[in-house]
Amino acid sequence: MADEFTTTVYRDEDADSTYIEDKTVAVLGYGSQGHAHALNLNDSGVDVIVGLREDSSSWPEAESEGLRVETPDVAAAEADIVQMLVPDTIQPAVYEAIADGLEAGDTLQFAHGFNIHYGQIRPPEDVDVTMVAPKSPGHLVRRTYQRGEGVPGLIAVYQDATGDAKEQSLAYAEAIGCTRAGVIETTFQEEVETDLFGEQAVLCGGVTELMKMGYETLVDAGYSPEMAYFECMNEMKLIVDLIYEDGLMGMWNSVSDTAEYGGITRGEYVVDDEYAREGMEQVLEEVQNGEFAREWITENQTNRPSYKQLRAAEEGHEIEDVGGRLRELFAWEEQREEVPADD
């Protein structure tokens, strides 16, 4: 087992702010990530323009925070660095609107590499194409920055037209606070493929299917929906929090010996080394060969028929009704922070 990182972790001392201090940055979008990037950059002394649709509800909010707001085409034309923080699905259309404003030596920057890696956006060869991606929701990017801390992040260089793309990415990462925690260099391909695989096989797909199947197994066996919800969904957060704070062994050390023994000996009954791994390998293959990307692109081009049907089925699952009633019992539900959506 490796005792050290397999890649370099860059910190504040590795970043040179001169690579960004005389630049103008256009942050396109003012959602979860957009507001955090724009405000942190502004507080770091960087000249920032927020790019939004004229009818965007976020326009007055950004202005109230003391930021200059323009339409995306105007913002991009004035900027040296254009950070694309609108949703993946609308990025190609936004790019078409700003493309004429990109000049040789400018930087087109992303926080996720989907549209570059799968060829939905094809920038000119005379601009840098980079990625600076905090590994955290935007509200934490902002909150930790305000505390003098930061969240870990990724940088990647897809196209280095100027020869300064990496240095500028590190300077940007420093300006939003990521180098305070540590920044790892990756590639657009690695970021996209690991991100999509993780979402589908584990974080969003695998975990939700596991919780629903556990719930259904208990209810079908005659146990109350409320008990099934608590055991198979509600307590998931408690376990994940323990793992997040101190790894798998931290979790095992915190639960009872009975839970540890049962989990270690029975977990592979459900997530086995044959069928579950075959399924994960299939998910990864469809990410790597572009099948998932083509399917998702086509889905959006045809007004998302499958997406809408599947989402309706998810919303109609019994676990949502039971969970909605039970969550009303918790005081934290009323105090939960509202997280802005991407805009």
Side-chain angles (χ1 to χ4, degrees):
M1 182 177 294
D3 295 325
E4 300 178 352
F5 289 109
T6 60
T7 187
T8 303
V9 178
Y10 297 98
R11 304 188 188 277
D12 280 348
E13 59 269 22
D14 301 307
D16 184 349
S17 61
T18 61
Y19 282 95
I20 196 174
E21 64 184 12
D22 62 343
K23 306 289 187 181
T24 296
V25 177
V27 175
L28 305 187
Y30 204 69
S32 177
Q33 288 292 331
H35 90 283
H37 284 236
L39 292 171
N40 290 6
L41 288 166
N42 185 63
D43 288 352
S44 293
V46 178
D47 183 28
V48 180
I49 308 172
V50 176
L52 294 172
R53 309 182 313 270
E54 288 184 343
D55 62 346
S56 171
S57 60
S58 296
W59 191 300
E61 178 186 351
E63 286 187 328
S64 72
E65 296 280 4
L67 298 169
R68 180 183 168 199
V69 185
E70 301 286 354
T71 56
D73 57 330
V74 173
E78 293 190 28
D80 305 291
I81 301 170
V82 179
Q83 172 66 292
M84 188 79 75
L85 292 176
V86 295
D88 288 340
T89 51
I90 67 172
Q91 282 184 12
V94 172
Y95 174 74
E96 290 300 316
I98 69 165
D100 290 344
L102 291 175
E103 299 178 353
D106 284 351
T107 298
L108 184 61
Q109 188 166 279
F110 298 82
H112 180 43
F114 185 96
N115 285 302
I116 291 293
H117 181 58
Y118 292 115
Q120 298 306 292
I121 294 176
R122 299 182 184 275
E125 295 181 358
D126 57 1
V127 303
D128 290 345
V129 181
T130 62
M131 181 192 307
V132 179
K135 296 302 291 180
S136 168
H139 67 284
L140 290 180
V141 175
R142 180 60 178 159
R143 187 185 304 164
T144 56
Y145 176 93
Q146 291 176 304
R147 293 201 305 251
E149 302 167 357
V151 301
L154 305 175
I155 62 167
V157 176
Y158 181 83
Q159 187 168 282
D160 188 2
T162 65
D164 295 330
K166 179 177 177 179
E167 289 75 13
Q168 185 174 268
S169 297
L170 282 170
Y172 185 104
E174 180 187 30
I176 63 172
C178 287
T179 53
R180 297 172 181 176
V183 170
I184 293 174
E185 186 172 12
T186 184
T187 65
F188 272 62
Q189 178 180 358
E190 182 177 57
E191 186 275 336
V192 172
E193 293 179 355
T194 56
D195 185 73
L196 292 178
F197 172 81
E199 290 170 349
Q200 295 170 24
V202 182
L203 306 175
C204 301
V207 166
T208 54
E209 287 302 310
L210 185 66
M211 289 190 292
K212 287 187 296 183
M213 194 168 295
Y215 172 90
E216 291 166 0
T217 299
L218 286 177
V219 172
D220 289 348
Y223 299 98
S224 71
E226 291 77 14
M227 285 300 297
Y229 178 86
F230 276 128
E231 294 302 329
C232 297
M233 190 165 179
N234 181 74
E235 293 192 21
M236 177 68 76
K237 180 186 186 306
L238 309 179
I239 297 301
V240 171
D241 282 349
L242 292 172
I243 296 171
Y244 176 81
E245 292 167 5
D246 206 20
L248 293 177
M249 286 311 302
M251 181 273 291
W252 291 129
N253 291 336
S254 296
V255 301
S256 70
D257 291 349
T258 304
E260 180 180 8
Y261 180 76
I264 291 174
T265 59
R266 268 46 175 192
E268 63 182 17
Y269 288 11
V270 179
V271 184
D272 65 288
D273 199 44
E274 182 178 356
Y275 297 111
R277 191 174 299 275
E278 285 181 5
M280 287 191 173
E281 289 172 351
Q282 180 179 346
V283 169
L284 181 57
E285 181 181 354
E286 291 179 3
V287 166
Q288 290 174 326
N289 64 22
E291 182 176 341
F292 170 77
R294 290 189 294 272
E295 178 183 320
W296 178 229
I297 291 165
T298 300
E299 185 74 11
N300 281 279
Q301 292 172 340
T302 55
N303 199 29
R304 301 186 175 187
S306 297
Y307 172 86
K308 292 176 180 177
Q309 183 178 3
L310 292 168
R311 199 170 194 279
E314 192 81 350
E315 187 176 12
H317 194 286
E318 180 184 286
I319 201 170
E320 281 294 278
D321 181 52
V322 173
R325 295 197 304 271
L326 289 176
R327 286 192 295 273
E328 293 178 358
L329 302 178
F330 293 92
W332 49 257
E333 175 67 13
E334 297 178 359
Q335 301 167 0
R336 188 170 55 184
E337 180 178 355
E338 291 292 331
V339 179
D342 290 325
D343 193 349

